[in-house]
Coordinates of all heavy atoms in Angstrom, one line a residue:
S1 N -17.5 -10.2 -11.0 CA -17.5 -9.6 -9.8 C -18.0 -8.2 -9.8 O -17.8 -7.5 -10.9 CB -16.0 -9.5 -9.2 OG -15.7 -10.8 -8.9
K2 N -18.6 -7.8 -8.8 CA -19.1 -6.3 -8.6 C -17.8 -5.4 -8.4 O -16.8 -5.8 -7.8 CB -20.0 -6.1 -7.5 CG -21.2 -6.9 -7.8 CD -22.2 -6.6 -6.6 CE -23.5 -7.4 -6.8 NZ -24.4 -7.2 -5.6
E3 N -18.0 -4.2 -8.8 CA -16.9 -3.2 -8.6 C -17.1 -2.5 -7.2 O -18.2 -2.3 -6.9 CB -16.8 -2.3 -9.7 CG -15.7 -1.3 -9.6 CD -15.8 -0.3 -10.9 OE1 -15.6 -0.8 -12.0 OE2 -15.9 0.9 -10.5
I4 N -15.9 -2.5 -6.5 CA -15.9 -1.7 -5.3 C -15.1 -0.5 -5.3 O -13.8 -0.7 -5.7 CB -15.6 -2.6 -4.1 CG1 -16.6 -3.7 -4.0 CG2 -15.4 -1.8 -2.7 CD1 -16.4 -4.6 -2.8
R5 N -15.4 0.6 -4.8 CA -14.6 1.8 -5.0 C -14.1 2.1 -3.5 O -15.0 2.0 -2.6 CB -15.3 3.0 -5.6 CG -15.6 2.8 -6.9 CD -16.2 4.0 -7.6 NE -16.6 3.7 -8.9 CZ -16.0 3.7 -10.1 NH1 -14.6 4.0 -10.0 NH2 -16.5 3.4 -11.2
I6 N -12.8 2.3 -3.4 CA -12.3 2.9 -2.1 C -11.6 4.1 -2.2 O -11.2 4.4 -3.3 CB -11.2 1.7 -1.5 CG1 -10.1 1.4 -2.4 CG2 -12.1 0.4 -1.2 CD1 -9.0 0.6 -1.8
E7 N -11.6 4.8 -1.2 CA -10.8 6.0 -1.1 C -9.7 6.0 -0.2 O -9.6 5.4 0.8 CB -11.7 7.2 -0.6 CG -12.9 7.4 -1.7 CD -13.8 8.7 -1.2 OE1 -13.3 9.4 -0.4 OE2 -15.0 8.7 -1.7
L8 N -8.6 6.6 -0.7 CA -7.3 6.7 0.0 C -6.9 8.1 0.0 O -7.2 8.8 -0.9 CB -6.2 5.8 -0.7 CG -6.4 4.3 -1.0 CD1 -5.3 3.8 -1.8 CD2 -6.5 3.5 0.4
T9 N -6.2 8.4 1.0 CA -5.5 9.7 1.0 C -4.3 9.5 0.0 O -4.0 8.6 -0.3 CB -4.8 10.1 2.5 OG1 -3.8 9.1 2.7 CG2 -5.8 10.0 3.5
E10 N -3.9 10.7 -0.4 CA -2.8 10.7 -1.4 C -1.6 10.1 -0.7 O -0.9 9.3 -1.5 CB -2.5 12.2 -1.9 CG -1.5 12.3 -3.0 CD -1.4 13.7 -3.5 OE1 -1.9 14.6 -3.0 OE2 -0.6 13.8 -4.7
D11 N -1.3 10.3 0.4 CA -0.1 9.7 1.1 C -0.3 8.3 1.1 O 0.8 7.5 0.8 CB 0.0 10.3 2.4 CG 0.5 11.7 2.5 OD1 1.0 12.3 1.5 OD2 0.4 12.4 3.6
E12 N -1.4 7.7 1.5 CA -1.6 6.3 1.5 C -1.5 5.8 0.1 O -0.9 4.6 0.0 CB -3.1 6.0 2.0 CG -3.3 6.2 3.5 CD -4.8 6.3 3.9 OE1 -5.7 6.5 3.1 OE2 -5.1 5.9 5.1
A13 N -2.0 6.4 -0.8 CA -1.9 5.8 -2.2 C -0.4 5.8 -2.7 O 0.0 4.7 -3.2 CB -2.7 6.7 -3.2
W14 N 0.4 6.8 -2.3 CA 1.7 6.8 -2.8 C 2.5 5.8 -2.0 O 3.4 5.0 -2.7 CB 2.4 8.1 -2.7 CG 2.0 9.2 -3.8 CD1 1.2 10.2 -3.8 CD2 2.5 9.0 -5.2 NE1 1.2 10.7 -5.1 CE2 2.0 10.0 -6.0 CE3 3.4 8.2 -5.8 CZ2 2.1 10.1 -7.3 CZ3 3.5 8.2 -7.2 CH2 2.9 9.3 -7.9
V15 N 2.4 5.6 -0.7 CA 3.0 4.7 0.0 C 2.8 3.3 -0.4 O 3.6 2.5 -0.6 CB 2.8 4.9 1.6 CG1 3.3 3.7 2.4 CG2 3.4 6.3 2.0
L16 N 1.5 3.0 -0.5 CA 1.1 1.7 -1.1 C 1.6 1.4 -2.5 O 1.9 0.2 -2.8 CB -0.5 1.5 -1.0 CG -1.0 1.4 0.5 CD1 -2.5 1.5 0.5 CD2 -0.6 0.1 1.0
F17 N 1.6 2.4 -3.3 CA 2.0 2.2 -4.7 C 3.5 1.8 -4.6 O 3.9 0.9 -5.3 CB 1.8 3.5 -5.5 CG 2.7 3.4 -6.8 CD1 2.3 2.6 -7.9 CD2 3.8 4.2 -7.0 CE1 3.0 2.6 -9.1 CE2 4.7 4.1 -8.0 CZ 4.2 3.4 -9.2
E18 N 4.3 2.5 -3.9 CA 5.8 2.2 -3.8 C 6.0 0.9 -3.2 O 6.8 0.1 -3.6 CB 6.5 3.2 -2.9 CG 8.0 3.0 -2.7 CD 8.8 2.8 -4.0 OE1 8.4 3.3 -5.1 OE2 9.8 2.1 -3.9
F19 N 5.2 0.5 -2.1 CA 5.2 -0.8 -1.5 C 4.9 -2.0 -2.4 O 5.7 -2.9 -2.5 CB 4.3 -0.8 -0.3 CG 4.2 -2.0 0.4 CD1 5.3 -2.5 1.3 CD2 3.1 -2.9 0.4 CE1 5.3 -3.6 2.0 CE2 3.1 -4.1 1.1 CZ 4.1 -4.5 1.9
T20 N 3.9 -1.8 -3.2 CA 3.5 -2.9 -4.1 C 4.5 -3.0 -5.4 O 4.8 -4.0 -5.9 CB 2.0 -2.7 -4.7 OG1 1.9 -1.4 -5.2 CG2 1.0 -2.8 -3.6
R21 N 4.9 -1.7 -5.9 CA 6.0 -1.7 -6.9 C 7.2 -2.6 -6.4 O 7.8 -3.4 -7.2 CB 6.3 -0.3 -7.2 CG 7.2 -0.2 -8.4 CD 8.0 1.0 -8.5 NE 8.8 1.3 -7.3 CZ 10.0 0.7 -7.0 NH1 10.5 -0.3 -7.9 NH2 10.7 1.0 -5.9
R22 N 7.7 -2.3 -5.3 CA 8.8 -3.0 -4.8 C 8.7 -4.4 -4.5 O 9.5 -5.2 -4.9 CB 9.2 -2.3 -3.3 CG 10.6 -2.8 -2.9 CD 11.1 -2.1 -1.7 NE 10.2 -2.6 -0.5 CZ 9.4 -1.8 0.2 NH1 9.3 -0.4 -0.1 NH2 8.6 -2.2 1.2
I23 N 7.5 -4.9 -4.0 CA 7.2 -6.2 -3.9 C 7.2 -6.9 -5.3 O 7.6 -8.1 -5.6 CB 5.8 -6.4 -3.2 CG1 5.9 -6.0 -1.8 CG2 5.4 -7.9 -3.4 CD1 4.6 -6.0 -1.0
S24 N 6.6 -6.2 -6.3 CA 6.5 -6.8 -7.7 C 7.8 -6.9 -8.2 O 8.1 -8.0 -9.0 CB 5.7 -5.9 -8.6 OG 4.3 -5.7 -8.1
D25 N 8.7 -5.9 -8.0 CA 10.1 -6.0 -8.5 C 10.9 -7.1 -7.9 O 11.8 -7.7 -8.5 CB 10.8 -4.8 -8.4 CG 10.2 -3.7 -9.4 OD1 9.4 -4.0 -10.3 OD2 10.5 -2.5 -9.1
S26 N 10.7 -7.2 -6.6 CA 11.5 -8.2 -5.8 C 11.0 -9.5 -5.5 O 11.7 -10.5 -5.2 CB 12.0 -7.5 -4.4 OG 11.0 -7.4 -3.6
E27 N 9.7 -9.5 -5.5 CA 8.8 -10.8 -5.2 C 9.2 -11.1 -3.7 O 9.0 -12.2 -3.3 CB 9.2 -12.0 -6.1 CG 8.8 -11.7 -7.5 CD 9.0 -12.9 -8.4 OE1 9.3 -14.0 -7.8 OE2 8.8 -12.6 -9.6
K28 N 9.5 -10.2 -2.9 CA 9.7 -10.3 -1.4 C 8.8 -9.3 -0.7 O 8.8 -8.1 -1.0 CB 11.1 -10.1 -1.1 CG 12.2 -11.2 -1.6 CD 13.5 -10.9 -1.1 CE 14.4 -11.8 -1.8 NZ 15.9 -11.5 -1.4
L29 N 8.1 -9.8 0.3 CA 7.2 -9.0 1.1 C 8.0 -8.5 2.3 O 8.3 -9.2 3.3 CB 6.1 -9.7 1.6 CG 5.1 -9.0 2.4 CD1 4.5 -7.7 1.7 CD2 3.9 -9.9 2.9
T30 N 8.6 -7.2 2.2 CA 9.4 -6.6 3.2 C 8.8 -5.2 3.5 O 8.7 -4.3 2.6 CB 10.8 -6.6 2.9 OG1 11.2 -7.9 2.5 CG2 11.7 -6.1 4.0
I31 N 8.5 -5.0 4.9 CA 8.1 -3.6 5.1 C 9.3 -2.8 5.6 O 10.1 -3.3 6.5 CB 7.0 -3.6 6.4 CG1 5.7 -4.2 5.7 CG2 6.8 -2.3 6.8 CD1 4.7 -4.4 6.7
L32 N 9.6 -1.7 4.9 CA 10.9 -1.0 5.1 C 10.7 0.2 6.1 O 11.6 0.6 6.7 CB 11.5 -0.4 3.8 CG 12.0 -1.5 2.9 CD1 12.6 -0.8 1.6 CD2 13.1 -2.3 3.6
D33 N 9.4 0.6 6.2 CA 9.1 1.7 6.9 C 7.7 1.5 7.6 O 6.8 1.0 7.0 CB 9.0 3.0 6.1 CG 8.9 4.3 6.7 OD1 7.8 4.7 7.2 OD2 9.9 5.0 6.8
Q34 N 7.6 2.1 8.8 CA 6.4 1.9 9.6 C 5.2 2.6 8.8 O 4.1 2.1 8.9 CB 6.5 2.6 11.1 CG 5.4 2.1 11.9 CD 4.2 3.0 11.8 OE1 4.2 4.2 11.5 NE2 3.0 2.4 12.1
A35 N 5.5 3.6 8.0 CA 4.4 4.2 7.2 C 3.7 3.2 6.3 O 2.6 3.2 6.0 CB 5.0 5.3 6.4
E36 N 4.5 2.2 5.8 CA 3.9 1.2 4.9 C 3.0 0.3 5.7 O 1.9 -0.1 5.2 CB 5.1 0.3 4.3 CG 5.9 1.0 3.3 CD 7.2 0.2 2.9 OE1 7.6 -0.7 3.4 OE2 7.8 0.9 1.9
E37 N 3.4 -0.1 6.9 CA 2.5 -0.9 7.7 C 1.3 -0.1 8.1 O 0.1 -0.7 8.1 CB 3.3 -1.2 9.0 CG 2.6 -2.1 9.9 CD 3.5 -2.6 11.1 OE1 4.1 -1.7 11.7 OE2 3.4 -3.8 11.5
R38 N 1.4 1.2 8.4 CA 0.2 2.1 8.7 C -0.7 2.0 7.4 O -2.0 2.0 7.6 CB 0.6 3.5 9.1 CG -0.5 4.5 9.3 CD -1.6 4.2 10.0 NE -1.4 3.8 11.4 CZ -2.2 3.2 12.3 NH1 -3.3 2.7 11.9 NH2 -1.7 2.8 13.5
A39 N -0.2 2.2 6.3 CA -1.0 2.4 5.1 C -1.8 1.0 4.8 O -2.9 1.1 4.4 CB 0.0 2.7 3.8
L40 N -1.0 -0.1 5.0 CA -1.7 -1.4 5.0 C -2.9 -1.5 5.9 O -4.0 -2.0 5.7 CB -0.7 -2.6 5.1 CG 0.2 -2.7 3.9 CD1 1.3 -3.7 4.2 CD2 -0.5 -3.1 2.6
W41 N -2.7 -1.1 7.1 CA -3.8 -1.2 8.2 C -4.8 -0.4 7.8 O -6.0 -0.7 7.9 CB -3.1 -0.7 9.6 CG -2.2 -1.6 10.2 CD1 -1.9 -3.0 10.1 CD2 -1.3 -1.3 11.3 NE1 -0.9 -3.4 10.8 CE2 -0.4 -2.5 11.6 CE3 -0.9 -0.1 11.9 CZ2 0.5 -2.5 12.5 CZ3 0.1 -0.1 12.9 CH2 0.8 -1.2 13.2
N42 N -4.6 0.9 7.2 CA -5.6 1.8 6.9 C -6.5 1.1 5.7 O -7.7 1.2 5.7 CB -5.0 3.1 6.5 CG -4.5 3.9 7.7 OD1 -4.6 3.5 8.8 ND2 -3.8 5.0 7.4
L43 N -5.7 0.4 4.9 CA -6.3 -0.1 3.7 C -7.3 -1.3 4.2 O -8.4 -1.4 3.7 CB -5.3 -0.6 2.7 CG -5.9 -1.3 1.4 CD1 -6.7 -0.3 0.7 CD2 -4.8 -1.8 0.6
C44 N -7.0 -2.1 5.1 CA -7.6 -3.1 5.7 C -8.9 -2.5 6.3 O -10.0 -3.1 6.2 CB -6.9 -3.9 6.7 SG -5.7 -5.1 6.0
C45 N -8.7 -1.4 7.0 CA -9.8 -0.7 7.6 C -11.0 -0.3 6.6 O -12.1 -0.4 6.6 CB -9.5 0.4 8.4 SG -8.8 0.0 9.9

């Protein structure tokens, strides 16, 4: 696969890091804060 680079704001990166860390630890996909949802929407964009 080719490499693709994306840019995130520092806030987006930290929120997504914590979100993915929590999912990895619990194996449950749960959004605890609207900021996590916003970060995921931004990532999709």
Side-chain angles (χ1 to χ4, degrees):
S1 294
K2 295 180 182 177
E3 186 174 295
I4 295 179
R5 297 185 187 275
I6 59 172
E7 291 185 24
L8 303 171
T9 67
E10 188 173 7
D11 290 340
E12 288 169 334
W14 279 109
V15 169
L16 288 169
F17 168 75
E18 176 57 24
F19 180 71
T20 56
R21 186 202 58 76
R22 191 176 67 247
I23 291 170
S24 295
D25 290 347
S26 69
E27 297 184 10
K28 293 180 184 177
L29 178 58
T30 306
I31 294 176
L32 294 181
D33 189 282
Q34 194 276 328
E36 294 171 348
E37 188 173 40
R38 169 53 58 197
L40 288 171
W41 290 339
N42 292 354
L43 183 58
C44 285
C45 290

